[in-house]
Amino acid sequence: MNSFEKVLKVRQGLTDLVDKLISVFSTDEVISEVMSMRKYTTSPYAEAMERTLREIGVFKLDYVSDILIVDPEISQEDLKLFGLVDRNGNYLLSGRYTVPIRDISGNVTALTGWYPDVKKYVTTPTYGFSKDGQFFNMECYAKSFNGDYPKYKDEESGEVLESKGLVYLVEGIFDTLSLRALGFPALGNMGLDMSLIKTEILTRFGKVIAI
């Protein structure tokens, strides 16, 4: 098996696992906690944001044993390849609100866990994943080019921006989700640095608006 085939196998395995984890651990309580901690409950688009959090499947785990509930046969090797455990074998995103990072096909490439502490975000070192090579919310690509998003009129210029090929570029995960909740195509850079690969990805869109 070459490295490319290995990446595909890891992504498929992680996607299958995450779908199972979401079905069990993406609970009403978890969604409510995120809504409250991010102060979305008082937002005029609270309902849309809650729907988006459920749609992407935000979940929270504490221990590796939680993973074993949905996949009792998972190996230590797979846990390491998925980037789910630290060097001591403990769950890497313990207590963090976890968001799947998916590629353009919807496969999970890594997980990022948020909590309002000093670190804020922790991203799994999943085999084959790099922030330099992927944006968050790449699932919006096809929908953007199909023109499925609403048109937007710039208040200053009066220009009507066609939804076909349009994307908004923001920095963070929750910035992206906020725009997604409002019905806009958005990509999260997951940081400030812009790699050459990401720059190339942006050229595939007809219009990029950086916020």
Side-chain angles (χ1 to χ4, degrees), residues 31-166:
I31 300 299
S32 295
E33 287 172 358
V34 175
M35 289 289 292
S36 177
M37 296 175 79
R38 298 289 307 187
K39 303 187 186 308
Y40 292 133
T41 51
T42 57
S43 167
Y45 61 96
E47 185 177 338
M49 193 65 200
E50 180 177 343
R51 185 169 58 250
T52 298
L53 294 176
R54 294 183 185 281
E55 183 180 275
I56 65 169
V58 177
F59 65 93
K60 185 173 71 170
L61 308 180
D62 292 311
Y63 307 104
V64 172
S65 57
D66 294 331
I67 299 175
L68 297 179
I69 292 175
V70 302
D71 190 351
E73 303 300 323
I74 192 169
S75 67
Q76 283 295 316
E77 178 64 20
D78 281 341
L79 288 172
K80 291 178 181 178
L81 286 172
F82 296 162
L84 300 180
V85 293
D86 61 21
R87 64 182 62 184
N88 297 316
N90 299 315
Y91 180 57
L92 187 67
L93 305 180
S94 178
R96 294 183 176 275
Y97 299 95
T98 304
V99 179
I101 300 172
R102 298 180 184 269
D103 61 19
I104 193 172
S105 300
N107 295 312
V108 179
T109 59
L111 299 174
T112 188
W114 172 82
Y115 192 80
D117 56 10
V118 176
K119 293 181 179 179
K120 289 190 177 180
Y121 291 98
V122 174
T123 302
T124 57
T126 308
Y127 183 85
F129 173 77
S130 171
K131 288 184 180 180
D132 288 339
Q134 184 179 339
F135 291 102
F136 174 69
N137 199 40
M138 278 300 296
E139 312 98 285
C140 80
Y141 184 85
K143 193 173 180 181
S144 175
F145 272 87
N146 289 334
D148 294 337
Y149 287 103
K151 294 180 173 60
Y152 171 76
K153 184 176 181 180
D154 188 279
E155 293 183 358
E156 293 184 2
S157 67
E159 179 186 6
V160 176
L161 303 174
E162 297 290 339
S163 61
K164 191 172 184 179
L166 167 68

Side-chain angles (χ1 to χ4, degrees), residues 161-207:
L161 303 174
E162 297 290 339
S163 61
K164 191 172 184 179
L166 167 68
V167 71
Y168 293 86
L169 177 63
V170 293
E171 179 187 347
I173 299 292
F174 285 96
D175 297 328
T176 311
L177 294 178
S178 294
L179 284 172
R180 176 169 170 165
L182 291 171
F184 295 112
L187 295 177
N189 194 40
M190 297 185 286
L192 296 174
D193 296 334
M194 179 64 66
S195 67
L196 290 176
I197 295 176
K198 283 184 172 179
T199 301
E200 172 63 26
I201 292 173
L202 291 178
T203 64
R204 308 298 177 89
F205 290 89
K207 188 177 184 69

